[in-house]
Every structure is written in C-alpha cells, then in structure tokens.
Amino acid sequence: MLPPPYIASLSWVQTEVGPSLQIVPTRNGRDVSSPTAGDEAWREVLDREPGADTPGMKEQFDCHWTFARLIDPEKPSWNLEPDRPVVSPDEMIATRCNPGGPEE
C-alpha cells in the first residue's frame, strides 16, 4: 500500500457552474490501490476544508476516486461542485462524475 498523503492541494474557485472545490491528488493518491485509501483521502479533504461535507460532494469525490484515476489518471484536478444534484450511483457514473451539467 502506498502511504498518505493522497491529496496534494485543494482550493475553491468560481466556475460557470458555480463554486468548485478543485482537488489535486498526490502521486500516491493517483496510484494507490488499497480499498480504504479513498476514505482516507476524503478525510484529508475534510481536514483541510470541513465545508466540503455537503450533500453530493463525497459521492462526486468517490466517483472521481474510483473512475477518474482509471480513465484519466493524469487529470490535473478533480472538481467537486456543491450545487450539483445528488443522484444515484448509476447516474453519477453515466454523467462521468458531473451530474446536472458539464464538467468543470
């Protein structure tokens, strides 16, 4: 197992879809395969930004953690938007982790 930290940085930015928390994973965060690492990484996010603990944000994070790391492992940041709708896991996957609108 690759050790934490899994999150290099995070920052709030304003985008066309509203506020967005841009999360940049570390190399270990991109490469780790432990089944508990995603939860550890989310705790790192909340330790730095407790305001991220709103409906739908963890689900967006989990989607990025599970799929973005496989599909686009070098994507510069994972962008989570609190204004996106809370959707089913199937819809989250179908919308490529961006329910309710285009990717930011």
Side-chain angles (χ1 to χ4, degrees):
M1 178 170 144
L2 298 171
Y6 300 127
I7 305 302
S9 64
L10 50 89
S11 60
W12 285 103
V13 298
Q14 191 63 35
T15 68
E16 290 181 17
V17 298
S20 179
L21 182 61
Q22 292 185 335
I23 299 171
V24 177
T26 62
R27 181 82 263 150
N28 283 3
R30 293 178 188 283
D31 296 341
V32 67
S33 61
S34 163
T36 61
D39 289 335
E40 291 177 57
W42 180 245
R43 281 193 297 275
E44 288 181 38
V45 170
L46 295 182
D47 285 348
R48 293 185 195 181
E49 182 49 64
D53 193 14
T54 61
M57 291 285 279
K58 183 173 189 311
E59 291 79 6
Q60 290 177 61
F61 179 84
D62 288 345
C63 186
H64 281 85
W65 183 264
T66 302
F67 297 106
R69 294 183 328 137
L70 297 173
I71 295 167
D72 190 2
E74 299 306 318
K75 184 176 183 197
S77 66
W78 304 334
N79 306 320
L80 314 181
E81 290 87 22
D83 294 338
R84 290 193 183 274
V86 177
V87 298
S88 70
D90 288 342
E91 188 171 347
M92 183 67 74
I93 293 166
T95 60
R96 298 178 57 107
C97 309
N98 296 290
E103 178 179 356
E104 276 303 317

